[in-house]
């Protein structure tokens, strides 16, 4: 009964873990399939003729017909869909750009590094700021600092991200001259330097939700029994906070970030526009003004698949990190 | 050998919430070396708060408003919910080693050795020595043994037990009680044992305090108190609990 | 809404204390309510308050700083900023409320159905939400708004497509937890059909939480409307809108920063008001 051998514990754990992993992956694959379908239908759900949108209101019927043919719109819907999926598998994208003629994949790949870097910087900033503020608020619960930090999300929730960017430019670039007004600097350090303000802007839009939930999580951890046990055992307060409380709060943070990653990417696309950064966001807006459908679809597809994969990875990582999910005797 | 000076002396202790509601009112008792005192009463009667006051870890919003706690020896505490009392993300040997390291001021290596010895003393499997485990991978009884080991790592002169068996299965309860008794004989610490089960208190303790609504309503020698209870509440407790001690687990 | 229900969650202590007196006891609700009321009243009565025309240009008086005549100054075309600000509140707040109605209803309904019936219906609905959630919110908003044509129609279509998800998620979870409770089981043993249990017993219980979420979601929606306006795929130019006002002011950010700052502050103002109302309502319903 009390014996605890590897043999009695492992099998149950591993079996359930494998099936969990497989289920999670299968689910992600199904969602990706749905995403592909949604991207295909996105220009068909909404009213209006895509060909007309590309050529403009006053196009000739012949030109419209040619465009229909070029886009494959004269085929039955299911055949169009098969063509769409086929391109996706053979070319890895949604077809060639109507304007540039090059493949969507190349166009996006060219712009991706800056955007990914911006997203990464924003993620790190958001987590660090949110964790710090939430920790302060939780340890100072119901005191002045806590109240101030709690007001912060209420005030910032309604701030349009591009407006925050404008104000930051006004304060830090125009008046203080700490940062460039826009664009990307030369080399690694220049790039990082010029991306700092945009990253702060994106992070700023993420922190309200993060702080709100993290504060509650932290308070829960701080008031949990094991913290009392550690206190009773005489472990110093800073060790409890940094080694035990933060570790326990880190998992929910990761999960939260997974939920918010999609929102973060969307915000990044808008912020790029404010700061004049030539990333995926600016590609999206040029394609929109050029009515370059394949590129728009491609961006939507890559972003959505990216979100699905990142969420899956985060789910797997937090599952791996959390011992409670494994080997219940 | 009887010690003359008490190791723990509580005099007119009063605790109150911020809203001024008295939660513990004028509680006094003392404890000699090697002695065990039982605090018995229903939940919410202020037993656990009294223990926390002794350790100086009162929950947020509760303050000591009167009385004194005189502690001659180090105290340590064992809690009610064994699994919740351990950091779920920290393997148990590591957790125990940490306590040894900070309380006994040994080197990291010596701390680990001492921790493993403690685990051995508490009858935990030797396999922990080679592969550390998370609390969720241990049974409730094993977790409670780890929690007791953590308390003992503080080298306490007084061990405070806050319903250490309530959350466990009946069979495991008995084993834990036996372990605690055996350790007390071996290490000679004094003990305050909080429980709502008079039967367990009678088996463990030489002195009893019956608490109700923050006050001690009756205290004395276990034998004389049980044979001749004065307070009707004590009589009620005896009648309701003594005949069926097995009910403990189904709290 | 259906007036009388037998669920134990909400109507336990009845209407013993009047709602008005309870509202007074929650400062957040009161403050938020007053903030909203002030703006709505201003928006309704602006033609009587301001002598200026929101679209009337006066090129002899462009980019003026705030003064007695023009409370917040004028923009690059000499239009009175305060007047435009309040007229924009008309546009943006109306769209915000109207665009939220259909998503709210469908979301709550779908969430309840998914949570109540579970099984394959639940799987299908959660697959749908997972798919939509994979698309970054602003990405899908931008694309759909563009594809369905700039202007208000695009905004409505966009939010009909994506707005319901939040509500579906919240009500699904709540309904699933109510499903476990005895009063649902007892209603089932009485032989009530599922749809009746959903509408009469579950709806009143999920509605408070859904309305609290609605408040925060409206803030997000307003910000999205303004963002679309800023990007030039939202409300078309002559109609005043906070988003286009901010982007119009952007070139003058160094000389007349208030042109961009003030409309943004208006959005923040509405955001704070709605958050306060949401917090207050949550408090009000929790205290019961």
């Amino acid at each position: 009964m009390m014996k605890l051998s590897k043999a009695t514990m492992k099998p149950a754990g591993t079996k359930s873990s494998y099936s969990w992993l497989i289920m999670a992956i299968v689910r992600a694959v199904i969602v990706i399939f749905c995403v592909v379908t949604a991207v295909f239908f996105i220009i068909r759900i909404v009213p209006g003729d895509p060909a007309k949108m590309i050529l403009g209101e006053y196009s000739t019927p012949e030109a419209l017909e040619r465009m229909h043919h070029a886009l494959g719109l004269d085929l039955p819907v299911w055949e169009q869909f098969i063509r769409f999926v086929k391109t996706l598998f053979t070319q890895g994208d949604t077809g060639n750009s109507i304007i540039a003629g090059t493949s969507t994949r190349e166009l996006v790949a060219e712009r991706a590094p800056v955007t990914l870097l911006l997203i990464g910087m924003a993620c790190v900033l958001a987590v660090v700021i949110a964790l710090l503020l939430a920790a302060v608020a939780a340890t100072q619960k119901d005191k002045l600092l806590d109240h101030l930090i709690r007001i912060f999300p209420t005030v910032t929730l309604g701030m349009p991200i591009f407006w925050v960017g404008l104000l930051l430019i006004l304060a830090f670039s125009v008046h203080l001259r700490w940062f460039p007004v826009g664009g990307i600097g030369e080399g690694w350090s220049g790039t990082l330097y010029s991306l700092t303000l945009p990253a702060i802007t994106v992070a700023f839009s993420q922190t309200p939700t993060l702080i709100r939930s993290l504060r509650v999580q932290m308070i829960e951890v701080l008031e949990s029994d094991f913290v009392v046990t550690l206190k009773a055992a005489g472990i110093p307060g800073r060790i409890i906070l940094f080694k035990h409380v933060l570790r326990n709060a880190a998992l929910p943070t990761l999960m939260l970030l997974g939920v918010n990653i999609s929102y973060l990417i969307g915000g990044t696309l808008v912020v790029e526009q404010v700061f004049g950064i030539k990333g995926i966001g600016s590609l999206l807006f040029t394609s929109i003004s050029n009515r370059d459908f394949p590129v728009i679809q491609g961006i939507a597809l890559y972003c959505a698949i990216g979100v699905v994969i990142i969420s899956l990875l985060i789910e797997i990582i937090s599952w791996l990190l959390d011992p409670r999910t494994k080997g219940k005797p | 050998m009887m010690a003359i000076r008490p190791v723990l002396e509580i005099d007119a202790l009063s605790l109150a919430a911020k809203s001024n509601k008295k939660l513990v009112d004028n509680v006094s008792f003392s404890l000699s070396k090697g002695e065990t005192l039982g605090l018995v009463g229903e939940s919410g009667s202020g037993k656990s708060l009294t223990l926390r006051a002794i350790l100086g870890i009162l929950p947020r919003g509760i303050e000591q408003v009167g009385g004194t706690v005189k502690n001659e020896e180090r105290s340590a505490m064992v809690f009610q919910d064994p699994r919740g009392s351990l950091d779920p993300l920290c393997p148990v040997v590591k957790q125990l080693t940490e306590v040894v390291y900070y309380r006994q001021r040994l080197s990291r290596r010596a701390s680990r050795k001492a921790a493993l010895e403690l685990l051995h003393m508490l009858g935990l499997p030797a396999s922990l020595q080679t592969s550390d485990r998370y609390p969720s991978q241990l049974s409730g009884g094993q977790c409670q043994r780890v929690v007791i080991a953590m308390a003992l790592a503080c080298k306490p002169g007084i061990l405070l037990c806050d319903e250490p068996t309530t959350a466990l299965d009946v069979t495991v309860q008995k084993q834990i009680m036996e372990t605690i008794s055996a350790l007390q004989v071996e290490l000679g610490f004094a003990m305050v044992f909080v429980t709502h089960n008079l039967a367990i208190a009678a088996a463990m303790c030489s002195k009893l305090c019956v608490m109700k609504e923050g006050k001690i309503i009756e205290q004395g020698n276990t034998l004389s108190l049980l044979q001749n209870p004065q307070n009707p509440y004590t009589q009620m407790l005896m009648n309701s609990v003594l005949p069926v001690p097995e009910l403990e687990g189904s709290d | 809404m259906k007036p009388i229900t037998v669920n134990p969650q909400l109507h336990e202590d009845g209407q013993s204390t009047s709602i008005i007196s309870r509202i007074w006891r929650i400062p957040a609700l009161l403050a938020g309510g007053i903030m909203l009321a002030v703006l709505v009243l201003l928006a309704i009565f602006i033609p009587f308050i301001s002598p200026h025309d929101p679209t009337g240009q006066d090129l002899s008086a462009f980019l003026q700083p705030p003064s007695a005549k023009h409370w917040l100054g004028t923009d690059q075309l000499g239009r009175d900023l305060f007047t435009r600000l309040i007229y924009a509140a008309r546009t943006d707040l109306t769209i915000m409320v109207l665009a939220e109605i259909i998503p709210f209803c469908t979301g709550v309904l779908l969430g309840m159905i998914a949570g109540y019936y579970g099984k394959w219906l639940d799987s299908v609905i959660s697959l749908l939400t997972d798919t939509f959630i994979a698309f970054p919110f602003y990405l899908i908003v931008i694309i759909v708004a563009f594809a369905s044509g700039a202007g208000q129609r695009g905004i409505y279509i966009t939010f009909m497509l994506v707005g319901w998800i939040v509500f579906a998620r919240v009500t699904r979870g709540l309904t699933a937890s109510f499903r476990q409770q005895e009063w649902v089981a007892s209603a089932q043993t009485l032989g009530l059909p599922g749809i009746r249990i959903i509408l009469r017993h579950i709806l009143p219980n999920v509605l408070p939480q859904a309305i609290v979420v609605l408040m925060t979601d409206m803030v997000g929606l307003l910000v999205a409307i303004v963002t679309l306006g800023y990007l030039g795929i939202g409300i078309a130019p002559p109609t005043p809108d906070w988003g286009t006002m901010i982007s119009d002011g952007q070139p003058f950010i160094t000389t007349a920063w208030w042109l961009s700052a003030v409309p943004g502050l208006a959005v923040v103002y509405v955001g704070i008001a709605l958050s306060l109302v949401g917090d207050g309502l949550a408090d009000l319903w929790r205290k019961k």
Side-chain angles (χ1 to χ4, degrees):
Chain A
M1 175 70 196
M2 298 291 285
K3 246 173 95 182
L4 190 82
S5 64
K6 267 188 177 161
T8 55
M9 280 186 34
K10 270 273 156 107
T14 23
K15 196 178 171 200
S16 67
S17 63
Y18 275 129
S19 63
W20 177 88
L21 195 63
I22 289 164
M23 276 306 291
I25 293 172
V26 166
R27 201 177 160 73
V29 170
I30 295 175
V31 171
I32 287 181
F33 178 77
C34 291
V35 161
V36 171
T37 320
V39 168
F40 172 75
F41 279 109
I42 213 161
I43 57 165
R44 288 166 180 83
I45 283 178
V46 290
D49 178 0
K52 203 173 229 170
M53 258 180 248
I54 293 166
L55 296 171
E57 253 344 283
Y58 308 105
S59 46
T60 60
E62 294 79 44
L64 270 180
E65 197 144 309
R66 250 179 289 131
M67 186 51 86
H68 273 149
H69 187 71
L71 291 174
L73 289 174
D74 48 353
L75 299 167
V77 174
W78 61 270
E79 223 164 285
Q80 289 179 39
F81 186 64
I82 288 173
R83 247 173 77 161
F84 182 79
V85 174
K86 218 186 234 165
T87 331
L88 193 60
F89 272 100
T90 50
Q91 246 180 285
D93 65 14
T94 46
N96 289 348
S97 156
I98 296 172
I99 305 295
T102 45
S103 80
T104 304
R105 188 164 40 100
E106 280 164 28
L107 280 174
V108 171
E110 201 179 294
R111 304 294 194 94
V114 178
T115 304
L116 291 178
L117 189 61
L118 182 52
I119 291 172
M121 283 170 76
C123 261
V124 173
L125 271 174
V127 168
V128 170
I129 294 171
L131 264 181
L132 275 177
L133 288 183
V136 171
T139 45
Q140 304 273 311
K141 193 185 167 201
D142 290 332
K143 291 185 189 148
L144 183 69
L145 263 175
D146 180 33
H147 286 302
L148 286 179
I149 292 170
R150 284 170 75 183
I151 291 171
F152 180 70
T154 312
V155 176
T156 52
L157 186 71
M159 290 193 182
I161 189 168
F162 61 90
W163 183 73
V164 173
L166 278 181
L167 290 193
L168 288 178
I169 291 178
L170 184 65
F172 293 101
S173 304
V174 176
H175 284 290
L176 296 171
R177 297 178 187 283
W178 289 356
F179 294 100
V181 176
I184 293 293
E186 289 287 311
W188 262 104
S189 58
T191 310
L192 287 180
Y193 173 61
S194 53
L195 282 182
T196 310
L197 216 46
I200 292 174
T201 313
V202 178
F204 190 86
S205 69
Q206 285 295 298
T207 40
T209 19
L210 285 177
I211 289 178
R212 250 190 199 175
S213 340
L214 277 182
R215 180 183 161 274
V216 177
Q217 305 260 7
M218 288 266 219
I219 287 173
E220 209 169 90
V221 176
L222 277 173
E223 284 172 358
S224 64
D225 285 351
F226 79 82
V227 173
V228 180
T229 317
L230 291 171
K231 261 191 220 161
I235 306 280
R238 68 198 146 79
I239 301 286
I240 297 180
L241 185 65
F242 286 107
K243 269 177 94 172
H244 298 278
V245 176
L246 272 188
R247 256 178 76 108
N248 275 276
L251 267 178
T253 312
L254 197 64
M255 301 279 260
L256 251 172
L257 205 65
V259 175
N260 281 325
I261 194 78
S262 151
Y263 194 81
L264 198 139
I265 293 176
T268 308
L269 300 182
V270 176
V271 168
E272 278 184 8
Q273 209 52 12
V274 180
F275 286 87
I277 295 165
K278 294 241 169 295
I280 292 176
S282 79
L283 179 66
L284 176 70
F285 290 107
T286 2
S287 310
I288 280 183
S289 50
N290 290 336
R291 309 184 178 269
D292 197 345
F293 266 105
V295 181
I296 298 172
Q297 283 183 313
I299 293 171
L301 190 69
Y302 291 136
C303 284
I305 291 179
V307 169
V308 176
I309 290 174
I310 291 172
S311 313
L312 177 69
L313 285 179
I314 283 180
E315 238 178 280
I316 293 175
I317 290 172
S318 42
W319 173 81
L320 284 175
L321 288 181
D322 190 348
R324 277 161 295 192
T325 53
K326 276 157 275 170
K328 290 223 171 66
Chain B
M1 194 177 78
M2 284 288 287
I4 306 136
R5 264 169 59 110
V7 286
L8 174 70
E9 207 170 356
I10 290 179
D11 188 36
L13 177 73
S14 293
L15 305 173
K18 282 243 168 72
S19 56
N20 270 329
K21 191 173 173 270
K22 275 245 170 115
L23 298 166
V24 168
D25 194 4
N26 202 14
V27 162
S28 311
F29 58 80
S30 68
L31 189 66
S32 310
K33 200 170 173 19
E35 194 181 29
T36 304
L37 175 121
L39 279 181
V40 192
E42 61 198 8
S43 51
S45 60
K47 303 164 298 187
S48 302
L49 279 179
T50 309
L51 285 198
R52 287 197 172 202
I54 297 172
L55 262 181
I57 49 162
L58 284 170
R60 208 191 288 264
I62 294 176
E63 285 164 349
Q64 186 174 340
V65 290
T68 50
V69 175
K70 244 169 52 192
N71 236 338
E72 295 293 324
E73 298 247 13
R74 274 200 231 185
S75 50
M77 190 152 163
V78 177
F79 295 86
Q80 180 171 356
D81 171 18
R83 217 183 285 277
S85 302
L86 295 168
D87 181 350
L89 296 185
C90 187
V92 292
V93 177
K94 208 173 149 208
Q95 231 168 120
L96 182 58
T97 306
E98 199 180 18
V99 178
V100 177
Y101 178 78
Y102 283 104
R103 291 305 290 258
Q104 302 186 6
R105 305 190 175 279
L106 301 169
S107 69
R108 288 271 173 204
R109 231 168 133 183
S111 300
R112 190 178 151 80
K113 205 166 155 250
L116 288 169
E117 272 164 21
L118 272 171
L119 288 176
H120 179 72
M121 195 158 101
L122 278 150
L124 280 155
S127 66
L128 279 173
Q129 195 162 349
T130 45
S131 65
D132 208 345
R133 295 197 181 286
Y134 291 98
S136 55
Q137 294 168 313
L138 300 180
S139 70
Q142 288 171 324
C143 282
Q144 193 59 296
R145 284 166 197 272
V146 176
V147 175
I148 295 172
M150 277 170 71
L152 293 182
C154 305
K155 300 252 176 203
I158 310 157
L159 187 67
L160 310 171
C161 298
D162 187 359
E163 310 225 14
T165 58
T166 309
L168 303 172
D169 290 342
V170 184
T171 45
V172 185
Q173 272 181 28
K174 198 158 166 271
Q175 294 167 346
I176 294 283
M177 307 277 300
E178 283 165 3
T179 308
I180 293 178
S181 301
L183 287 168
Q184 193 182 19
V185 171
E186 198 180 328
L187 302 173
F189 47 77
M191 192 153 70
V192 179
F193 201 94
V194 162
T195 177
H196 62 261
N197 188 324
L198 210 51
I200 290 182
M204 297 289 289
C205 313
S206 50
K207 282 204 300 193
L208 284 185
C209 296
V210 180
M211 281 185 82
K212 195 190 178 199
E213 283 156 9
K215 293 188 180 116
I216 292 183
I217 52 169
E218 190 163 9
Q219 70 175 314
N221 222 309
T222 306
L223 263 177
S224 57
L225 194 138
L226 289 182
Q227 276 165 358
N228 189 14
Q230 300 296 313
N231 194 295
Y233 181 69
T234 316
Q235 290 167 358
M236 194 206 80
L237 272 184
M238 284 175 66
N239 293 337
S240 62
V241 179
L242 271 180
V244 273
E246 287 83 9
L247 279 179
E248 169 87 343
S250 57
D251 184 49
Chain C
M1 307 297 120
K2 295 268 154 64
I4 297 163
T5 48
V6 286
N7 61 73
Q9 244 63 32
L10 275 174
H11 300 264
E12 212 163 42
D13 62 354
Q15 270 74 37
S16 54
T17 44
S18 83
I19 291 184
I20 307 280
S21 75
R22 259 195 266 121
I23 288 174
W24 273 106
R25 263 183 274 141
I26 294 165
L29 188 57
L30 195 67
I34 291 175
M35 285 173 77
L36 279 182
V38 167
L39 187 61
V40 169
L41 287 177
L42 268 177
I44 293 173
F45 294 109
I46 185 67
F48 308 104
I49 300 169
S50 161
H52 305 284
D53 176 358
T55 49
Q57 304 182 1
D58 178 8
L59 291 174
S60 65
F62 67 96
L63 290 182
Q64 284 187 352
S67 65
K69 190 173 173 230
H70 299 288
W71 296 351
L72 291 172
T74 57
D75 68 3
Q76 73 282 6
L77 297 173
R79 296 173 294 195
D80 182 60
L81 190 62
F82 178 75
T83 312
R84 278 180 67 72
L85 194 74
I86 303 298
Y87 273 100
R90 274 188 173 184
T91 331
D92 288 334
L93 293 184
T94 314
I95 296 177
M96 176 183 86
V97 171
L98 290 182
E100 199 71 272
I101 294 173
I102 294 177
F104 180 76
C105 296
T106 39
V108 169
L109 198 67
L110 283 178
M112 286 193 301
I113 291 173
Y116 185 84
Y117 290 106
K119 295 193 189 109
W120 66 270
L121 246 172
D122 185 27
S123 311
V124 169
I125 291 175
S126 41
L127 194 63
L128 256 175
T129 55
D130 279 3
T131 306
F132 273 104
I133 276 174
F135 291 99
F137 178 68
Y138 276 112
L139 180 79
I140 200 163
V141 165
I142 290 165
I143 291 177
V144 178
F146 149 71
S148 50
Q152 304 195 4
R153 196 179 66 151
I155 296 172
Y156 291 127
I157 292 178
T158 308
F159 288 103
M160 263 197 282
L161 272 176
V162 296
W164 57 275
I165 296 165
V166 189
F167 304 111
R169 286 198 132 188
V170 173
T171 44
R172 195 201 85 98
L174 281 173
T175 310
S177 70
F178 287 141
R179 186 112 176 66
Q180 317 285 328
Q181 289 175 10
E182 271 176 34
W183 53 272
V184 172
S186 70
Q188 281 173 322
T189 50
L190 290 175
L192 291 180
I195 199 73
R196 199 180 155 76
I197 297 177
I198 288 180
L199 290 180
R200 284 293 291 271
H201 302 294
I202 292 181
L203 181 63
N205 281 296
V206 295
L207 213 48
Q209 184 70 41
I211 289 174
V212 170
V213 174
L214 174 69
M215 293 301 141
T216 353
D217 199 58
M218 284 217 276
V219 182
L221 175 54
L222 177 67
V223 172
I225 294 171
V226 172
T227 305
L228 286 177
Y230 171 78
L231 295 170
I233 42 180
I235 294 146
T239 319
D241 151 64
W242 290 330
T244 43
M245 286 173 76
I246 295 174
S247 80
D248 284 349
Q250 195 173 351
F252 310 100
I253 191 100
T254 48
T255 50
W257 53 269
W258 58 87
L259 283 185
S260 289
V262 171
L265 279 179
V267 183
V268 175
Y269 175 89
V270 178
I272 294 174
L274 284 172
S275 297
L276 285 175
V277 171
D279 288 353
L281 285 177
D283 237 31
L284 183 77
W285 283 317
R286 202 181 305 128
K287 273 182 186 163
K288 280 226 226 172

